[in-house]
Coordinates of all heavy atoms in Angstrom, one line a residue:
M1 N -9.0 8.0 21.4 CA -9.8 7.1 20.5 C -9.3 5.7 20.7 O -8.2 5.4 20.8 CB -9.6 7.5 19.0 CG -10.2 6.6 18.1 SD -9.9 7.0 16.3 CE -10.9 8.4 16.1
T2 N -10.3 4.8 20.8 CA -10.0 3.4 21.0 C -10.1 2.7 19.6 O -10.8 3.2 18.7 CB -10.9 2.7 22.0 OG1 -12.3 2.9 21.5 CG2 -10.8 3.4 23.3
C3 N -9.5 1.6 19.5 CA -9.5 0.8 18.2 C -10.8 0.0 18.2 O -11.0 -0.9 19.0 CB -8.3 -0.1 18.1 SG -6.7 0.8 18.2
Q4 N -11.6 0.3 17.2 CA -12.8 -0.6 16.9 C -12.4 -1.7 16.0 O -13.0 -2.8 16.1 CB -13.9 0.3 16.2 CG -14.3 1.5 17.1 CD -15.1 1.1 18.3 OE1 -15.9 0.1 18.2 NE2 -15.0 1.8 19.3
E5 N -11.4 -1.5 15.2 CA -10.9 -2.5 14.2 C -9.4 -2.4 14.1 O -8.9 -1.3 14.1 CB -11.6 -2.3 12.9 CG -11.2 -3.4 11.9 CD -12.0 -3.2 10.5 OE1 -12.9 -2.4 10.5 OE2 -11.6 -3.9 9.6
T6 N -8.7 -3.5 14.1 CA -7.3 -3.5 14.0 C -6.8 -4.4 12.8 O -7.3 -5.5 12.7 CB -6.6 -4.1 15.3 OG1 -7.1 -3.3 16.4 CG2 -5.1 -4.0 15.2
Y7 N -5.9 -3.8 12.0 CA -5.3 -4.5 10.9 C -4.0 -5.0 11.4 O -3.1 -4.3 11.7 CB -5.1 -3.6 9.7 CG -6.3 -3.3 8.9 CD1 -7.6 -3.7 9.3 CD2 -6.2 -2.6 7.7 CE1 -8.7 -3.4 8.5 CE2 -7.4 -2.2 7.0 CZ -8.6 -2.7 7.4 OH -9.7 -2.4 6.6
R8 N -3.9 -6.3 11.6 CA -2.6 -6.9 12.1 C -1.6 -7.1 10.9 O -2.0 -7.1 9.8 CB -2.9 -8.3 12.6 CG -4.0 -8.3 13.8 CD -3.3 -8.2 15.1 NE -4.3 -8.2 16.1 CZ -4.3 -7.4 17.2 NH1 -3.3 -6.5 17.3 NH2 -5.2 -7.4 18.1
G9 N -0.4 -7.2 11.3 CA 0.7 -7.5 10.3 C 1.3 -6.1 9.9 O 1.0 -5.1 10.5
T10 N 2.1 -6.2 8.9 CA 2.9 -5.1 8.4 C 2.0 -4.3 7.4 O 1.4 -4.9 6.5 CB 4.1 -5.6 7.7 OG1 4.9 -6.3 8.6 CG2 5.0 -4.4 7.2
T11 N 2.0 -3.0 7.6 CA 1.3 -2.1 6.6 C 2.3 -1.1 6.1 O 3.0 -0.5 6.8 CB 0.1 -1.4 7.3 OG1 -0.8 -2.3 7.9 CG2 -0.6 -0.5 6.3
L12 N 2.3 -1.0 4.8 CA 3.2 0.0 4.1 C 2.3 1.1 3.7 O 1.4 0.9 2.9 CB 3.9 -0.7 2.9 CG 4.7 0.3 2.0 CD1 5.9 0.8 2.8 CD2 5.1 -0.4 0.7
F13 N 2.6 2.3 4.2 CA 1.9 3.5 3.8 C 2.8 4.2 2.7 O 4.0 4.4 3.0 CB 1.7 4.5 5.0 CG 0.7 3.9 6.0 CD1 1.2 3.2 7.1 CD2 -0.6 4.1 5.9 CE1 0.4 2.7 8.0 CE2 -1.5 3.6 6.8 CZ -1.0 2.9 7.9
T14 N 2.2 4.6 1.6 CA 3.0 5.2 0.5 C 2.1 6.2 -0.2 O 0.9 6.1 -0.2 CB 3.5 4.1 -0.4 OG1 4.4 4.7 -1.4 CG2 2.4 3.4 -1.2
T15 N 2.8 7.2 -0.8 CA 2.2 8.2 -1.6 C 2.8 8.0 -3.0 O 4.0 8.0 -3.2 CB 2.5 9.6 -1.1 OG1 2.0 9.7 0.2 CG2 1.9 10.7 -2.0
R16 N 1.9 7.9 -4.0 CA 2.3 7.8 -5.4 C 2.2 9.2 -6.0 O 1.1 9.8 -6.0 CB 1.4 6.8 -6.1 CG 1.4 5.4 -5.5 CD 0.3 4.6 -6.0 NE -1.0 5.3 -5.7 CZ -2.2 5.0 -6.3 NH1 -2.2 4.1 -7.3 NH2 -3.3 5.7 -6.0
Y17 N 3.3 9.7 -6.6 CA 3.2 11.0 -7.3 C 2.9 10.8 -8.7 O 2.1 11.6 -9.3 CB 4.5 11.7 -7.0 CG 4.7 12.1 -5.6 CD1 5.6 11.3 -4.8 CD2 4.1 13.1 -5.0 CE1 5.7 11.6 -3.4 CE2 4.2 13.4 -3.7 CZ 5.1 12.7 -2.9 OH 5.2 13.0 -1.6
E18 N 3.5 9.9 -9.4 CA 3.3 9.7 -10.8 C 2.8 8.3 -11.0 O 3.4 7.4 -11.6 CB 4.6 9.9 -11.6 CG 5.3 11.2 -11.5 CD 4.5 12.3 -12.3 OE1 3.8 11.9 -13.2 OE2 4.7 13.5 -12.0
Y19 N 1.6 8.0 -10.5 CA 1.1 6.7 -10.4 C 0.8 6.0 -11.7 O 0.6 4.7 -11.7 CB -0.2 6.6 -9.5 CG -1.4 7.2 -10.1 CD1 -2.4 6.4 -10.5 CD2 -1.5 8.6 -10.3 CE1 -3.6 6.9 -11.0 CE2 -2.7 9.1 -10.8 CZ -3.7 8.2 -11.2 OH -4.8 8.8 -11.8
V20 N 0.6 6.7 -12.8 CA 0.3 6.0 -14.1 C 1.6 6.0 -15.0 O 1.5 5.5 -16.1 CB -0.8 6.7 -14.8 CG1 -2.1 6.5 -14.1 CG2 -0.5 8.2 -15.1
N21 N 2.7 6.5 -14.5 CA 4.0 6.5 -15.2 C 4.7 5.2 -14.8 O 5.0 4.9 -13.7 CB 4.8 7.7 -14.8 CG 6.1 7.8 -15.5 OD1 6.9 6.9 -15.3 ND2 6.3 8.8 -16.3
L22 N 5.1 4.4 -15.8 CA 5.7 3.1 -15.5 C 7.0 3.2 -14.8 O 7.3 2.5 -13.8 CB 5.9 2.3 -16.8 CG 6.6 0.9 -16.7 CD1 5.8 0.0 -15.8 CD2 6.8 0.3 -18.1
Y23 N 7.8 4.2 -15.2 CA 9.1 4.4 -14.6 C 9.0 4.7 -13.1 O 9.6 4.1 -12.2 CB 10.0 5.5 -15.3 CG 11.2 5.8 -14.5 CD1 12.3 5.0 -14.6 CD2 11.3 6.9 -13.7 CE1 13.5 5.3 -13.9 CE2 12.4 7.2 -13.0 CZ 13.5 6.4 -13.1 OH 14.7 6.7 -12.4
H24 N 8.1 5.7 -12.8 CA 7.9 6.1 -11.4 C 7.3 5.0 -10.6 O 7.6 4.8 -9.4 CB 7.1 7.4 -11.3 CG 7.9 8.5 -11.8 ND1 8.9 9.1 -11.1 CD2 7.8 9.2 -13.0 CE1 9.4 10.1 -11.8 NE2 8.8 10.2 -13.0
T25 N 6.4 4.2 -11.2 CA 5.8 3.1 -10.5 C 6.8 2.0 -10.2 O 6.8 1.5 -9.1 CB 4.6 2.5 -11.3 OG1 3.6 3.5 -11.5 CG2 3.9 1.4 -10.5
L26 N 7.7 1.8 -11.1 CA 8.8 0.8 -10.8 C 9.7 1.3 -9.7 O 10.1 0.5 -8.8 CB 9.7 0.6 -12.1 CG 9.1 -0.2 -13.2 CD1 9.9 -0.1 -14.5 CD2 9.0 -1.7 -12.7
T27 N 10.0 2.6 -9.6 CA 10.7 3.1 -8.5 C 10.0 2.9 -7.2 O 10.6 2.7 -6.1 CB 11.2 4.5 -8.7 OG1 10.1 5.4 -8.8 CG2 12.1 4.6 -9.9
D28 N 8.7 3.1 -7.2 CA 7.8 2.9 -6.0 C 7.9 1.5 -5.6 O 8.0 1.2 -4.4 CB 6.4 3.3 -6.3 CG 6.2 4.8 -6.5 OD1 7.0 5.6 -6.0 OD2 5.1 5.2 -7.0
W29 N 7.8 0.5 -6.5 CA 7.9 -0.9 -6.1 C 9.3 -1.2 -5.5 O 9.4 -1.9 -4.5 CB 7.7 -1.8 -7.3 CG 6.3 -1.7 -7.9 CD1 5.1 -1.4 -7.2 CD2 5.9 -2.0 -9.2 NE1 4.1 -1.4 -8.1 CE2 4.5 -1.8 -9.3 CE3 6.6 -2.3 -10.4 CZ2 3.8 -2.0 -10.5 CZ3 5.9 -2.5 -11.6 CH2 4.5 -2.3 -11.6
W30 N 10.3 -0.7 -6.2 CA 11.7 -0.9 -5.7 C 11.9 -0.4 -4.3 O 12.4 -1.1 -3.4 CB 12.7 -0.2 -6.6 CG 14.1 -0.3 -6.2 CD1 14.8 0.7 -5.6 CD2 15.0 -1.5 -6.3 NE1 16.1 0.2 -5.3 CE2 16.2 -1.1 -5.7 CE3 14.8 -2.8 -6.8 CZ2 17.3 -2.0 -5.6 CZ3 15.9 -3.6 -6.7 CH2 17.1 -3.2 -6.1
N31 N 11.4 0.8 -4.1 CA 11.5 1.4 -2.7 C 10.7 0.6 -1.7 O 11.1 0.5 -0.6 CB 11.1 2.9 -2.7 CG 12.0 3.8 -3.5 OD1 13.2 3.5 -3.5 ND2 11.5 4.8 -4.1
A32 N 9.5 0.1 -2.1 CA 8.7 -0.6 -1.2 C 9.4 -1.9 -0.8 O 9.4 -2.3 0.4 CB 7.4 -1.0 -1.8
F33 N 10.0 -2.6 -1.7 CA 10.8 -3.8 -1.4 C 11.9 -3.5 -0.5 O 12.3 -4.3 0.4 CB 11.3 -4.5 -2.7 CG 10.3 -5.4 -3.3 CD1 9.9 -5.2 -4.6 CD2 9.9 -6.6 -2.7 CE1 9.0 -6.0 -5.2 CE2 9.0 -7.5 -3.3 CZ 8.5 -7.2 -4.6
N34 N 12.6 -2.4 -0.6 CA 13.7 -2.1 0.2 C 13.4 -1.7 1.6 O 14.2 -1.8 2.5 CB 14.5 -0.9 -0.5 CG 15.4 -1.5 -1.6 OD1 16.1 -2.5 -1.4 ND2 15.3 -0.9 -2.7
V35 N 12.2 -1.1 1.9 CA 11.9 -0.7 3.2 C 11.1 -1.8 4.0 O 11.0 -1.7 5.3 CB 11.0 0.6 3.2 CG1 11.7 1.7 2.6 CG2 9.6 0.4 2.6
L36 N 10.7 -2.8 3.4 CA 9.9 -3.9 4.1 C 10.9 -4.8 4.8 O 12.0 -5.1 4.4 CB 9.1 -4.7 3.1 CG 7.9 -3.9 2.5 CD1 7.2 -4.7 1.4 CD2 6.9 -3.5 3.6
P37 N 10.5 -5.4 6.0 CA 11.3 -6.3 6.7 C 11.5 -7.6 5.8 O 10.7 -7.9 5.0 CB 10.5 -6.6 8.0 CG 9.2 -6.1 7.8 CD 9.2 -5.1 6.6
D38 N 12.6 -8.3 6.2 CA 12.9 -9.5 5.4 C 11.9 -10.6 5.5 O 11.7 -11.4 4.5 CB 14.3 -10.1 5.9 CG 15.4 -9.2 5.6 OD1 15.4 -8.4 4.7 OD2 16.4 -9.3 6.3
D39 N 11.2 -10.7 6.6 CA 10.1 -11.7 6.7 C 8.7 -11.2 6.3 O 7.7 -11.8 6.7 CB 10.1 -12.2 8.1 CG 9.7 -11.2 9.2 OD1 9.8 -10.0 8.8 OD2 9.4 -11.5 10.3
Y40 N 8.7 -10.2 5.6 CA 7.4 -9.5 5.2 C 6.5 -10.5 4.5 O 5.3 -10.5 4.8 CB 7.7 -8.3 4.2 CG 6.4 -7.7 3.7 CD1 5.7 -6.9 4.5 CD2 6.0 -7.9 2.4 CE1 4.6 -6.2 4.0 CE2 4.9 -7.3 1.9 CZ 4.2 -6.5 2.7 OH 3.0 -5.9 2.2
F41 N 6.9 -11.4 3.6 CA 6.1 -12.2 2.9 C 5.6 -13.4 3.7 O 4.9 -14.3 3.1 CB 6.7 -12.6 1.6 CG 6.9 -11.5 0.7 CD1 8.1 -10.8 0.6 CD2 5.8 -10.9 0.0 CE1 8.3 -9.7 -0.3 CE2 6.0 -9.8 -0.9 CZ 7.2 -9.2 -1.0
K42 N 6.0 -13.5 4.9 CA 5.5 -14.6 5.8 C 4.3 -14.2 6.7 O 3.8 -15.0 7.4 CB 6.6 -15.1 6.7 CG 7.8 -15.7 5.9 CD 8.9 -16.1 6.8 CE 10.1 -16.5 6.0 NZ 11.3 -16.7 6.9
K43 N 4.0 -12.9 6.6 CA 3.0 -12.3 7.5 C 1.8 -11.7 6.7 O 2.0 -11.4 5.6 CB 3.6 -11.2 8.4 CG 4.7 -11.7 9.3 CD 5.1 -10.6 10.3 CE 6.0 -9.6 9.6 NZ 6.6 -8.6 10.5
P44 N 0.7 -11.5 7.4 CA -0.4 -10.8 6.7 C 0.2 -9.4 6.4 O 0.9 -8.8 7.2 CB -1.5 -10.7 7.7 CG -1.2 -11.7 8.7 CD 0.3 -11.9 8.7
H45 N -0.2 -8.8 5.3 CA 0.3 -7.5 4.9 C -0.6 -6.8 4.0 O -1.5 -7.3 3.4 CB 1.7 -7.7 4.2 CG 1.7 -8.7 3.1 ND1 1.8 -10.1 3.4 CD2 1.6 -8.6 1.8 CE1 1.7 -10.7 2.3 NE2 1.6 -9.9 1.3
R46 N -0.4 -5.5 3.9 CA -1.2 -4.6 3.0 C -0.4 -3.4 2.7 O 0.5 -3.0 3.4 CB -2.5 -4.3 3.6 CG -2.5 -3.3 4.7 CD -3.6 -3.4 5.8 NE -3.9 -4.7 6.2 CZ -3.1 -5.3 7.2 NH1 -2.1 -4.7 7.7 NH2 -3.4 -6.5 7.6
V47 N -0.9 -2.7 1.7 CA -0.4 -1.4 1.3 C -1.5 -0.4 1.4 O -2.7 -0.7 1.0 CB 0.2 -1.4 -0.2 CG1 0.6 0.0 -0.6 CG2 1.4 -2.3 -0.3
V48 N -1.3 0.8 1.9 CA -2.3 1.9 2.0 C -1.7 3.0 1.2 O -0.7 3.6 1.5 CB -2.6 2.3 3.4 CG1 -3.6 3.5 3.4 CG2 -3.2 1.1 4.2
F49 N -2.4 3.4 0.1 CA -2.1 4.6 -0.7 C -2.6 5.9 0.0 O -3.8 6.0 0.2 CB -2.6 4.5 -2.1 CG -2.1 3.3 -2.9 CD1 -3.0 2.4 -3.5 CD2 -0.7 3.1 -3.0 CE1 -2.5 1.4 -4.2 CE2 -0.2 2.0 -3.7 CZ -1.1 1.2 -4.3
L50 N -1.7 6.8 0.4 CA -2.1 8.0 1.0 C -2.5 9.1 0.1 O -3.0 10.1 0.5 CB -0.9 8.5 2.0 CG -0.5 7.5 3.1 CD1 0.7 8.0 3.8 CD2 -1.7 7.2 4.0
D51 N -2.2 8.9 -1.2 CA -2.5 10.0 -2.1 C -4.0 9.9 -2.5 O -4.7 9.0 -2.2 CB -1.7 9.8 -3.4 CG -1.8 8.4 -4.0 OD1 -2.9 8.1 -4.5 OD2 -0.8 7.7 -4.0
G52 N -4.5 10.9 -3.2 CA -5.9 11.0 -3.6 C -6.1 10.6 -5.0 O -7.2 10.9 -5.6
H53 N -5.1 9.9 -5.6 CA -5.3 9.5 -7.0 C -6.3 8.4 -7.2 O -6.6 7.6 -6.3 CB -3.9 9.0 -7.6 CG -2.8 10.0 -7.6 ND1 -2.9 11.2 -8.2 CD2 -1.6 9.9 -7.1 CE1 -1.8 11.8 -8.1 NE2 -1.0 11.1 -7.4
A54 N -6.9 8.5 -8.4 CA -7.8 7.4 -8.8 C -7.1 6.1 -9.1 O -5.8 6.1 -9.1 CB -8.6 7.8 -10.0
Q55 N -7.8 5.0 -9.3 CA -7.1 3.8 -9.6 C -6.4 3.9 -10.9 O -6.9 4.5 -11.9 CB -8.2 2.7 -9.6 CG -7.5 1.3 -9.9 CD -8.5 0.2 -9.8 OE1 -9.7 0.4 -9.4 NE2 -8.1 -1.0 -10.0
G56 N -5.2 3.4 -10.9 CA -4.4 3.4 -12.2 C -4.3 2.0 -12.7 O -4.6 1.0 -12.1
G57 N -3.8 1.9 -14.0 CA -3.7 0.6 -14.6 C -2.6 -0.3 -14.0 O -2.7 -1.5 -14.3
L58 N -1.7 0.2 -13.2 CA -0.7 -0.6 -12.6 C -1.0 -1.0 -11.2 O -0.2 -1.6 -10.5 CB 0.7 0.1 -12.7 CG 1.1 0.4 -14.1 CD1 2.3 1.4 -14.1 CD2 1.5 -0.9 -14.8
D59 N -2.1 -0.6 -10.7 CA -2.5 -0.8 -9.2 C -2.6 -2.3 -8.9 O -2.2 -2.8 -7.9 CB -3.8 -0.1 -8.8 CG -3.6 1.4 -8.7 OD1 -2.4 1.9 -8.9 OD2 -4.6 2.1 -8.4
N60 N -3.1 -3.1 -9.9 CA -3.3 -4.5 -9.6 C -1.9 -5.2 -9.4 O -1.8 -6.3 -8.8 CB -4.1 -5.2 -10.7 CG -5.5 -4.8 -10.6 OD1 -6.0 -4.6 -9.5 ND2 -6.2 -4.8 -11.7
V61 N -0.8 -4.7 -10.0 CA 0.5 -5.2 -9.8 C 0.9 -5.1 -8.3 O 1.5 -6.0 -7.8 CB 1.5 -4.6 -10.7 CG1 2.9 -5.2 -10.5 CG2 1.1 -4.7 -12.2
W62 N 0.5 -4.0 -7.7 CA 0.7 -3.9 -6.2 C 0.1 -5.1 -5.5 O 0.7 -5.6 -4.6 CB 0.1 -2.6 -5.7 CG 0.9 -1.4 -6.0 CD1 0.7 -0.5 -7.1 CD2 1.9 -0.8 -5.2 NE1 1.6 0.5 -7.0 CE2 2.4 0.4 -5.9 CE3 2.6 -1.1 -4.1 CZ2 3.4 1.2 -5.4 CZ3 3.6 -0.3 -3.6 CH2 4.0 0.8 -4.3
K63 N -1.1 -5.5 -5.9 CA -1.7 -6.6 -5.2 C -0.9 -7.9 -5.4 O -0.7 -8.7 -4.5 CB -3.2 -6.8 -5.7 CG -3.9 -7.9 -5.0 CD -5.4 -7.9 -5.4 CE -6.1 -8.9 -4.6 NZ -7.6 -8.9 -4.9
T64 N -0.4 -8.1 -6.6 CA 0.4 -9.3 -6.9 C 1.7 -9.3 -6.1 O 2.1 -10.3 -5.6 CB 0.7 -9.3 -8.5 OG1 -0.5 -9.3 -9.2 CG2 1.5 -10.5 -8.8
L65 N 2.3 -8.1 -6.0 CA 3.6 -8.1 -5.3 C 3.5 -8.0 -3.8 O 4.3 -8.6 -3.1 CB 4.4 -6.8 -5.8 CG 4.8 -6.8 -7.2 CD1 5.4 -5.4 -7.6 CD2 5.8 -7.9 -7.5
F66 N 2.5 -7.3 -3.3 CA 2.4 -7.0 -1.9 C 1.2 -7.5 -1.2 O 1.0 -7.3 0.0 CB 2.6 -5.5 -1.6 CG 3.9 -5.0 -2.2 CD1 3.9 -4.3 -3.4 CD2 5.1 -5.2 -1.5 CE1 5.1 -3.8 -3.9 CE2 6.3 -4.7 -2.1 CZ 6.3 -4.0 -3.2
G67 N 0.2 -8.1 -1.8 CA -1.0 -8.5 -1.2 C -2.1 -7.4 -1.3 O -2.0 -6.6 -2.3
E68 N -3.0 -7.3 -0.4 CA -4.1 -6.4 -0.5 C -3.6 -4.9 -0.4 O -2.5 -4.6 0.2 CB -5.1 -6.6 0.6 CG -4.6 -6.4 2.0 CD -5.7 -6.7 3.0 OE1 -5.7 -7.8 3.5 OE2 -6.4 -5.8 3.4
F69 N -4.3 -4.1 -1.1 CA -4.0 -2.6 -1.0 C -5.3 -1.9 -0.8 O -6.4 -2.3 -1.2 CB -3.2 -2.1 -2.2 CG -4.0 -2.2 -3.5 CD1 -4.8 -1.1 -3.9 CD2 -3.9 -3.3 -4.3 CE1 -5.5 -1.2 -5.1 CE2 -4.6 -3.3 -5.5 CZ -5.4 -2.3 -5.9
H70 N -5.2 -0.7 -0.2 CA -6.4 0.1 0.1 C -6.0 1.6 -0.3 O -4.8 2.0 -0.2 CB -6.7 0.1 1.6 CG -7.0 -1.3 2.1 ND1 -8.2 -1.9 2.0 CD2 -6.2 -2.1 2.8 CE1 -8.1 -3.1 2.5 NE2 -6.9 -3.2 3.0
Y71 N -7.0 2.3 -0.6 CA -6.9 3.8 -0.8 C -7.3 4.4 0.5 O -8.4 4.0 1.1 CB -7.7 4.3 -1.9 CG -7.4 3.6 -3.2 CD1 -8.1 2.4 -3.7 CD2 -6.4 4.0 -4.0 CE1 -7.8 1.8 -4.9 CE2 -6.1 3.4 -5.2 CZ -6.8 2.3 -5.6 OH -6.5 1.6 -6.8
I72 N -6.6 5.3 1.0 CA -6.9 6.0 2.3 C -8.3 6.5 2.3 O -9.0 6.4 3.3 CB -5.8 7.0 2.7 CG1 -6.0 7.4 4.2 CG2 -5.9 8.2 1.8 CD1 -5.5 6.5 5.2
Q73 N -8.7 7.1 1.2 CA -10.1 7.7 1.2 C -11.2 6.6 1.2 O -12.3 7.0 1.5 CB -10.2 8.6 0.0 CG -10.2 7.9 -1.4 CD -8.8 7.9 -2.0 OE1 -7.8 7.9 -1.3 NE2 -8.8 7.9 -3.3
H74 N -10.9 5.3 1.0 CA -11.9 4.3 1.1 C -11.9 3.6 2.4 O -12.8 2.7 2.6 CB -11.7 3.3 0.0 CG -11.8 3.9 -1.4 ND1 -11.3 3.3 -2.5 CD2 -12.5 5.0 -1.8 CE1 -11.6 4.1 -3.6 NE2 -12.3 5.1 -3.2
L75 N -11.0 3.9 3.3 CA -11.0 3.2 4.6 C -12.1 3.8 5.5 O -12.4 5.0 5.3 CB -9.7 3.4 5.3 CG -8.5 2.6 4.7 CD1 -7.2 2.9 5.4 CD2 -8.8 1.1 4.7
P76 N -12.7 3.0 6.3 CA -13.8 3.6 7.2 C -13.3 4.7 8.1 O -12.3 4.6 8.8 CB -14.3 2.4 8.0 CG -13.3 1.3 7.8 CD -12.4 1.6 6.6
K77 N -14.1 5.8 8.1 CA -13.7 7.0 8.9 C -14.5 7.0 10.2 O -14.1 7.7 11.1 CB -14.0 8.2 8.1 CG -13.1 8.3 6.8 CD -13.4 9.6 6.0 CE -12.5 9.7 4.8 NZ -12.5 8.7 3.9
A78 N -15.6 6.4 10.3 CA -16.5 6.5 11.4 C -16.0 5.7 12.6 O -16.3 5.9 13.7 CB -17.9 6.1 11.1
I79 N -15.1 4.7 12.4 CA -14.7 3.8 13.5 C -13.2 4.1 13.7 O -12.5 4.7 12.9 CB -14.8 2.3 13.1 CG1 -14.0 1.9 11.9 CG2 -16.3 2.0 12.9 CD1 -13.9 0.5 11.7
G80 N -12.7 3.7 14.9 CA -11.3 3.8 15.2 C -10.5 2.7 14.6 O -10.7 1.5 15.0
L81 N -9.8 2.9 13.5 CA -9.1 1.9 12.8 C -7.6 2.0 13.2 O -7.0 3.1 13.1 CB -9.2 2.1 11.3 CG -8.6 1.2 10.4 CD1 -9.0 -0.3 10.6 CD2 -8.8 1.5 8.9
C82 N -7.0 0.9 13.6 CA -5.6 0.9 14.0 C -4.8 -0.1 13.2 O -5.4 -1.1 12.7 CB -5.5 0.5 15.5 SG -6.3 1.6 16.6
F83 N -3.6 0.2 13.0 CA -2.7 -0.6 12.2 C -1.6 -1.2 13.1 O -1.2 -0.6 14.0 CB -2.0 0.2 11.1 CG -3.0 0.6 10.0 CD1 -3.7 1.8 10.1 CD2 -3.3 -0.2 9.0 CE1 -4.6 2.2 9.2 CE2 -4.2 0.1 8.0 CZ -4.9 1.3 8.1

């Protein structure tokens, strides 16, 4: 498969298990900060949620902390998307 579209920069792929629970969401944010490179906030970036959960009340905080975010089920399937 060839890339029809490429998302440049750092992409964090994560699965949320308790996505509406504040404690578990805080641990997800903590873990995300710990795995990202030190220069993460100087480059284009995004988060991709690999779980099938619906949007939660804390999802907009992900955007504030890490930039854009996507749900895997909403990414285009018909084209070759590369990260």
